[in-house]
Amino acid sequence: MMQVEDNRRVVNFREKMAWVMVAGLLTASGFYFYTMFNVSAATEQVPKPAVIALTVIFVVILTIIAIVGAIVAALSNLSEANDLLDERDKLISLHSTRWASVVTSIILIITMLAYFFDARSSDMLLGVMAALIMGHLVDYTAQIYLYRRKPYSG
């Protein structure tokens, strides 16, 4: 007879860190883009000090969430926290990075095309930030998806 404990899925450290980073990116970028859109809509051009301040706040929020999340993930998987990447981890990393690169490239090309439609410099900056953030979100969500697939066959 199968025990309830046999049905529990063990989440490895790298998948937990991907979840942490998705949460951190969604939180920090939600604040960043909400504030930037409001400032951008209220003014002709977003003041450079505001852009710098919002970017610093974005980095601080993301860093705090990543550090706290890494500590919690490491404490819950002490045996895996320092493990080297195995073949499955390397394949997952390779595939998720490829998908993220495609998304980043597409958004950057769209942002460059916006230049020809008289986009403001602050709009171009938002496009670049969106490309970087979306690329990382795709990377981490792809990792989560690929870790949950059993077995991973590439």
Side-chain angles (χ1 to χ4, degrees):
M1 186 156 80
M2 191 159 81
Q3 303 265 339
V4 173
E5 295 170 9
D6 294 335
N7 285 332
R8 288 194 304 175
R9 186 179 161 287
V10 176
V11 179
N12 76 9
F13 176 75
R14 286 177 182 79
E15 183 184 343
K16 285 181 182 179
M17 281 308 302
W19 279 107
V20 166
M21 292 309 295
V22 166
L25 281 168
L26 289 175
T27 302
S29 62
F31 166 79
Y32 180 84
F33 285 111
Y34 175 78
T35 307
M36 280 294 279
F37 283 135
N38 284 333
V39 171
S40 181
T43 61
E44 179 68 25
Q45 193 72 320
V46 178
K48 287 180 176 91
V51 172
I52 293 169
L54 286 173
T55 304
V56 167
I57 293 169
F58 168 82
V59 170
V60 168
I61 291 171
L62 186 58
T63 302
I64 290 170
I65 292 172
I67 290 171
V68 171
I71 291 168
V72 171
L75 290 175
S76 67
N77 286 62
L78 286 175
S79 62
E80 290 183 21
N82 288 324
D83 284 353
L84 296 175
L85 294 175
D86 62 12
E87 193 62 32
R88 180 173 182 251
D89 293 328
K90 290 176 184 176
L91 283 172
I92 287 172
S93 179
L94 179 69
H95 287 283
S96 64
T97 301
R98 182 178 60 210
W99 296 345
S101 298
V102 169
V103 169
T104 302
S105 300
I106 290 169
I107 297 172
L108 284 175
I109 290 169
I110 292 169
T111 300
M112 289 187 297
L113 290 174
Y115 171 78
F116 296 104
F117 295 97
D118 298 325
R120 301 178 302 173
S121 61
S122 58
D123 297 333
M124 301 288 288
L125 174 68
L126 286 174
V128 170
M129 286 294 288
L132 295 172
I133 291 167
M134 286 303 297
H136 284 290
L137 278 172
V138 167
D139 186 7
Y140 293 124
T141 54
Q143 285 179 37
I144 293 166
Y145 169 75
L146 294 172
Y147 274 115
R148 288 179 170 263
R149 279 180 54 186
K150 290 213 179 186
Y152 181 70
S153 60

